[in-house]
PDB file of all heavy atoms in Angstrom:
ATOM      1  N   THR A 402      -6.233  -5.155  -4.527  1.00 92.00           N
ATOM      2  CA  THR A 402      -5.974  -6.530  -4.953  1.00 92.00           C
ATOM      3  C   THR A 402      -6.937  -7.544  -4.356  1.00 92.00           C
ATOM      4  O   THR A 402      -7.377  -8.476  -5.038  1.00 92.00           O
ATOM      5  CB  THR A 402      -4.543  -6.938  -4.575  1.00 92.00           C
ATOM      6  OG1 THR A 402      -4.386  -6.878  -3.141  1.00 92.00           O
ATOM      7  CG2 THR A 402      -3.523  -6.003  -5.210  1.00 92.00           C
ATOM      8  N   GLY A 403      -7.293  -7.367  -3.080  1.00 91.00           N
ATOM      9  CA  GLY A 403      -8.120  -8.363  -2.408  1.00 91.00           C
ATOM     10  C   GLY A 403      -9.498  -8.571  -3.012  1.00 91.00           C
ATOM     11  O   GLY A 403      -9.866  -9.689  -3.394  1.00 91.00           O
ATOM     12  N   PRO A 404     -10.314  -7.510  -3.158  1.00 93.00           N
ATOM     13  CA  PRO A 404     -11.668  -7.698  -3.695  1.00 93.00           C
ATOM     14  C   PRO A 404     -11.704  -8.145  -5.148  1.00 93.00           C
ATOM     15  O   PRO A 404     -12.752  -8.580  -5.630  1.00 93.00           O
ATOM     16  CB  PRO A 404     -12.295  -6.301  -3.545  1.00 93.00           C
ATOM     17  CG  PRO A 404     -11.483  -5.608  -2.515  1.00 93.00           C
ATOM     18  CD  PRO A 404     -10.096  -6.143  -2.684  1.00 93.00           C
ATOM     19  N   LEU A 405     -10.570  -8.027  -5.863  1.00 93.00           N
ATOM     20  CA  LEU A 405     -10.559  -8.394  -7.273  1.00 93.00           C
ATOM     21  C   LEU A 405     -10.537  -9.905  -7.476  1.00 93.00           C
ATOM     22  O   LEU A 405     -10.828 -10.390  -8.577  1.00 93.00           O
ATOM     23  CB  LEU A 405      -9.340  -7.758  -7.963  1.00 93.00           C
ATOM     24  CG  LEU A 405      -9.236  -7.904  -9.475  1.00 93.00           C
ATOM     25  CD1 LEU A 405     -10.458  -7.321 -10.186  1.00 93.00           C
ATOM     26  CD2 LEU A 405      -7.957  -7.245  -9.987  1.00 93.00           C
ATOM     27  N   ALA A 406     -10.213 -10.663  -6.444  1.00 93.00           N
ATOM     28  CA  ALA A 406     -10.067 -12.112  -6.591  1.00 93.00           C
ATOM     29  C   ALA A 406     -11.364 -12.764  -7.066  1.00 93.00           C
ATOM     30  O   ALA A 406     -11.361 -13.581  -7.998  1.00 93.00           O
ATOM     31  CB  ALA A 406      -9.603 -12.727  -5.271  1.00 93.00           C
ATOM     32  N   GLN A 407     -12.473 -12.413  -6.453  1.00 94.00           N
ATOM     33  CA  GLN A 407     -13.740 -13.045  -6.817  1.00 94.00           C
ATOM     34  C   GLN A 407     -14.171 -12.721  -8.249  1.00 94.00           C
ATOM     35  O   GLN A 407     -14.576 -13.630  -8.990  1.00 94.00           O
ATOM     36  CB  GLN A 407     -14.832 -12.638  -5.824  1.00 94.00           C
ATOM     37  CG  GLN A 407     -16.158 -13.349  -6.066  1.00 94.00           C
ATOM     38  CD  GLN A 407     -17.205 -12.991  -5.024  1.00 94.00           C
ATOM     39  OE1 GLN A 407     -16.969 -12.132  -4.178  1.00 94.00           O
ATOM     40  NE2 GLN A 407     -18.347 -13.644  -5.077  1.00 94.00           N
ATOM     41  N   PRO A 408     -14.100 -11.450  -8.709  1.00 93.00           N
ATOM     42  CA  PRO A 408     -14.455 -11.185 -10.101  1.00 93.00           C
ATOM     43  C   PRO A 408     -13.602 -11.947 -11.114  1.00 93.00           C
ATOM     44  O   PRO A 408     -14.127 -12.462 -12.109  1.00 93.00           O
ATOM     45  CB  PRO A 408     -14.239  -9.674 -10.234  1.00 93.00           C
ATOM     46  CG  PRO A 408     -14.444  -9.145  -8.869  1.00 93.00           C
ATOM     47  CD  PRO A 408     -13.893 -10.195  -7.961  1.00 93.00           C
ATOM     48  N   VAL A 409     -12.309 -12.042 -10.864  1.00 94.00           N
ATOM     49  CA  VAL A 409     -11.440 -12.763 -11.801  1.00 94.00           C
ATOM     50  C   VAL A 409     -11.763 -14.252 -11.807  1.00 94.00           C
ATOM     51  O   VAL A 409     -11.761 -14.903 -12.860  1.00 94.00           O
ATOM     52  CB  VAL A 409      -9.956 -12.512 -11.450  1.00 94.00           C
ATOM     53  CG1 VAL A 409      -9.043 -13.384 -12.305  1.00 94.00           C
ATOM     54  CG2 VAL A 409      -9.607 -11.044 -11.650  1.00 94.00           C
ATOM     55  N   GLN A 410     -12.068 -14.797 -10.642  1.00 93.00           N
ATOM     56  CA  GLN A 410     -12.454 -16.215 -10.585  1.00 93.00           C
ATOM     57  C   GLN A 410     -13.757 -16.465 -11.336  1.00 93.00           C
ATOM     58  O   GLN A 410     -13.919 -17.511 -11.980  1.00 93.00           O
ATOM     59  CB  GLN A 410     -12.586 -16.648  -9.123  1.00 93.00           C
ATOM     60  CG  GLN A 410     -11.263 -16.741  -8.388  1.00 93.00           C
ATOM     61  CD  GLN A 410     -11.429 -16.961  -6.899  1.00 93.00           C
ATOM     62  OE1 GLN A 410     -12.552 -17.097  -6.396  1.00 93.00           O
ATOM     63  NE2 GLN A 410     -10.310 -16.994  -6.176  1.00 93.00           N
ATOM     64  N   ARG A 411     -14.678 -15.516 -11.282  1.00 92.00           N
ATOM     65  CA  ARG A 411     -15.916 -15.659 -12.054  1.00 92.00           C
ATOM     66  C   ARG A 411     -15.626 -15.646 -13.550  1.00 92.00           C
ATOM     67  O   ARG A 411     -16.217 -16.427 -14.319  1.00 92.00           O
ATOM     68  CB  ARG A 411     -16.892 -14.524 -11.713  1.00 92.00           C
ATOM     69  CG  ARG A 411     -17.545 -14.629 -10.354  1.00 92.00           C
ATOM     70  CD  ARG A 411     -18.520 -13.495 -10.142  1.00 92.00           C
ATOM     71  NE  ARG A 411     -19.609 -13.517 -11.134  1.00 92.00           N
ATOM     72  CZ  ARG A 411     -20.507 -12.546 -11.269  1.00 92.00           C
ATOM     73  NH1 ARG A 411     -20.437 -11.470 -10.482  1.00 92.00           N
ATOM     74  NH2 ARG A 411     -21.457 -12.642 -12.174  1.00 92.00           N
ATOM     75  N   LEU A 412     -14.725 -14.778 -13.980  1.00 92.00           N
ATOM     76  CA  LEU A 412     -14.377 -14.722 -15.399  1.00 92.00           C
ATOM     77  C   LEU A 412     -13.670 -15.991 -15.845  1.00 92.00           C
ATOM     78  O   LEU A 412     -13.757 -16.383 -17.014  1.00 92.00           O
ATOM     79  CB  LEU A 412     -13.487 -13.509 -15.671  1.00 92.00           C
ATOM     80  CG  LEU A 412     -14.159 -12.137 -15.548  1.00 92.00           C
ATOM     81  CD1 LEU A 412     -13.123 -11.029 -15.659  1.00 92.00           C
ATOM     82  CD2 LEU A 412     -15.230 -11.961 -16.621  1.00 92.00           C
ATOM     83  N   ALA A 413     -12.952 -16.628 -14.925  1.00 90.00           N
ATOM     84  CA  ALA A 413     -12.240 -17.859 -15.271  1.00 90.00           C
ATOM     85  C   ALA A 413     -13.163 -19.069 -15.313  1.00 90.00           C
ATOM     86  O   ALA A 413     -12.754 -20.149 -15.749  1.00 90.00           O
ATOM     87  CB  ALA A 413     -11.114 -18.105 -14.265  1.00 90.00           C
ATOM     88  N   SER A 414     -14.391 -18.889 -14.852  1.00 88.00           N
ATOM     89  CA  SER A 414     -15.357 -19.983 -14.897  1.00 88.00           C
ATOM     90  C   SER A 414     -16.299 -19.789 -16.079  1.00 88.00           C
ATOM     91  O   SER A 414     -16.292 -18.746 -16.741  1.00 88.00           O
ATOM     92  CB  SER A 414     -16.154 -20.046 -13.593  1.00 88.00           C
ATOM     93  OG  SER A 414     -16.866 -18.836 -13.386  1.00 88.00           O
TER      94      SER A 414
END
Side-chain angles (χ1 to χ4, degrees):
T402 61
L405 186 58
Q407 185 177 6
V409 173
Q410 289 171 3
R411 287 182 61 188
L412 291 172
S414 60

